[in-house]
Amino acid sequence: MQVIEHPVEKLHSALRSTRKELIEMYEKYSKEEKSFLEGCLIPGDSLFGPITIHSDSDWIPSHPEAPQDFLSFYSNPYRSTPNNDHKTIYIQTIGSFGEGAGITEQYVEWLREYCQAFYYGLVVKLLPPVTVASTNCTFRVNSNSYNLQLHAGELLSFLKKKKPKDAFCIVGITMIDLYPRESWNFVFGQASLTEGVGVFSFARYDDDFYKRSYAGRLKKAVRLEPGNYALFQGYYTPPITSKLLLRSCKTLTHEIGHIFGVQHCQWLQCVMQGSNHLEESDRRPMDVCPICLRKLQSAIGFKIADRYKALLCWIETEGGASVPHSGKPTQSFQDFRQWLCKCLNILQDEMF
């Protein structure tokens, strides 16, 4: 296992920048926020540890790229920033999400509320669900897993046409596996920064997906005909578990982060780290590191403590706005809950 540790001075430079106007922007943080951000850069801090590489198949060894500091983020002419006319994140479900509309409504509402807490200060809305047939996208059977897959690029084109005028972005979510091109085995998701669209699949977050007994596998002999979307009617969807909800929340917020212009993080443990496989994705924490937090805060304008409180409230509140009497499966979020409490305790201690 390789541990990536940056000198504190380099982390401070990545956070604060070396440009005068960006340093002046940083000085607008409250004393408590600056103390929190800078204190979390100290090596060995339990809140934000160093990134670990477990194998050559992990993201960083297989996708070498320069780390993105705050200056690189802020100077990117293609990054997207919400404004008063475009401050809504729209979520579009594609295909079935569970056995019955009630389950789908419940699960997607939890995702919506989590996303709204994560991107505190923006509005997140659900669009009416659509069938796979309505997207008119290409599909195939994966030659390795024998699962149905949808073409991610064509779904992006479909979503671009549906993007509301007041949208900061529109993201499609599906329980059906995705592929970006014929030569690729699969892709967890795909997004376009310049177009403000993204599409993500949660199919591989089911613990049974890689088992030969997975209920979504088709027989090798299945013959596909273009436009035969009947295959997707009643197509298998995994049970909604706490682990699936956690993985879905993590993926959704990670991919929307790219639409803001935040690249894969290489500074500290962060939800914006890249991942090539499920095991690496599970190693990522739920939230952003201090450097990526500043990137989001500069784009949205939230108070750090308010954002942490909103995320904590999401974990501790049963049900959701439209389904208040249902039990939200947050067992897998308890480590994140304790982490948020530590962050808030540090911020509050700095105030007194």
Side-chain angles (χ1 to χ4, degrees):
M1 183 176 71
Q2 178 187 354
V3 179
I4 300 178
E5 290 190 282
H6 299 282
V8 178
E9 297 78 14
K10 187 173 183 179
L11 293 174
H12 273 274
S13 178
L15 172 68
R16 293 172 55 90
S17 178
T18 55
R19 270 178 34 183
K20 181 180 178 181
E21 65 270 29
L22 298 187
I23 294 175
E24 291 175 350
M25 282 178 55
Y26 180 79
E27 292 302 321
K28 293 181 180 179
Y29 280 105
S30 68
K31 180 180 70 174
E32 295 78 24
E33 289 176 324
K34 285 188 288 186
S35 179
F36 172 77
L37 291 171
E38 294 172 14
C40 288
L41 300 179
I42 298 173
D45 185 275
S46 60
L47 293 179
F48 300 93
I51 294 174
T52 58
I53 297 175
H54 291 227
S55 72
D56 290 339
S57 66
D58 282 2
W59 182 269
I60 291 178
S62 55
H63 297 83
E65 54 188 345
Q68 183 195 48
D69 57 15
F70 182 75
L71 173 59
S72 300
F73 164 80
Y74 196 80
S75 303
N76 182 357
Y78 301 106
R79 70 183 182 91
S80 300
T81 303
N83 55 45
N84 288 334
D85 296 324
H86 304 89
K87 63 177 183 180
T88 302
I89 296 172
Y90 285 92
I91 298 176
Q92 173 68 74
T93 58
I94 301 170
S96 175
F97 267 73
E99 298 177 358
I103 295 175
T104 300
E105 177 187 359
Q106 205 172 63
Y107 174 61
V108 177
E109 173 63 15
W110 291 329
L111 289 175
R112 184 200 69 77
E113 291 188 329
Y114 182 85
C115 188
Q116 187 161 281
F118 190 95
Y119 292 105
Y120 186 77
L122 298 185
V123 177
V124 182
K125 295 182 179 180
L126 301 176
L127 293 171
V130 297
T131 63
V132 174
S134 66
T135 69
N136 198 35
C137 73
T138 303
F139 57 92
R140 73 178 187 183
V141 174
N142 182 279
S143 59
N144 295 316
S145 68
Y146 305 128
N147 289 83
L148 283 168
Q149 292 182 303
L150 303 177
H151 193 287
E154 293 183 15
L155 288 179
L156 289 179
S157 298
F158 167 78
L159 292 168
K160 180 183 174 182
K161 295 175 184 177
K162 289 204 64 180
K163 185 179 178 182
K165 292 182 178 180
D166 67 337
F168 167 68
C169 67
I170 178 173
V171 293
I173 56 175
T174 181
M175 283 293 187
I176 302 165
D177 207 23
L178 300 175
Y179 73 104
R181 58 180 67 96
E182 284 299 328
S183 60
W184 280 49
N185 182 30
F186 78 98
V187 68
F188 284 117
Q190 196 168 348
S192 170
L193 186 159
T194 55
E195 300 290 351
V197 298
V199 62
F200 326 115
S201 169
F202 303 141
R204 291 176 182 255
Y205 294 144
D206 179 4
D207 281 335
D208 294 329
F209 183 87
Y210 294 96
K211 297 179 180 178
R212 295 188 62 85
S213 59
Y214 181 65
R217 290 171 64 96
L218 300 179
K219 293 181 180 179
K220 188 176 180 180
V222 169
R223 181 178 178 181
L224 295 184
E225 296 180 5
N228 183 20
Y229 294 107
L231 288 170
F232 295 96
Q233 295 177 6
Y235 186 66
Y236 172 75
T237 55
I240 307 302
T241 64
S242 181
K243 183 182 289 188
L244 179 65
L245 180 61
L246 180 140
R247 289 168 169 171
S248 302
C249 287
K250 190 185 293 187
T251 295
L252 183 60
T253 51
H254 171 101
E255 298 295 348
I256 292 174
H258 287 319
I259 298 176
F260 278 86
V262 181
Q263 296 177 4
H264 286 123
C265 183
Q266 299 186 52
W267 300 111
L268 294 163
Q269 290 181 7
C270 178
V271 74
M272 290 308 299
Q273 289 170 234
S275 67
N276 271 346
H277 44 81
L278 184 58
E279 190 272 334
E280 185 176 22
S281 177
D282 282 342
R283 289 202 307 266
R284 295 183 303 193
M286 290 297 294
D287 206 12
V288 286
C289 73
I291 296 166
C292 293
L293 180 61
R294 187 186 177 194
K295 296 171 187 176
L296 292 182
Q297 196 279 338
S298 71
I300 303 174
F302 50 72
K303 295 291 186 182
I304 295 175
D306 290 343
R307 178 179 174 276
Y308 286 152
K309 289 175 183 177
L311 286 166
L312 184 61
C313 181
W314 182 90
I315 296 173
E316 294 180 342
T317 302
E318 288 290 317
S322 64
V323 280
H325 300 298
S326 60
K328 189 191 305 174
T330 58
Q331 300 93 324
S332 297
F333 291 82
Q334 293 311 304
D335 287 344
F336 185 39
R337 177 186 175 278
Q338 293 177 13
W339 183 89
L340 289 167
C341 289
K342 290 179 181 178
C343 291
L344 287 168
N345 286 337
I346 292 171
L347 282 165
Q348 291 168 357
D349 287 345
E350 294 289 344
M351 295 177 64
F352 301 102

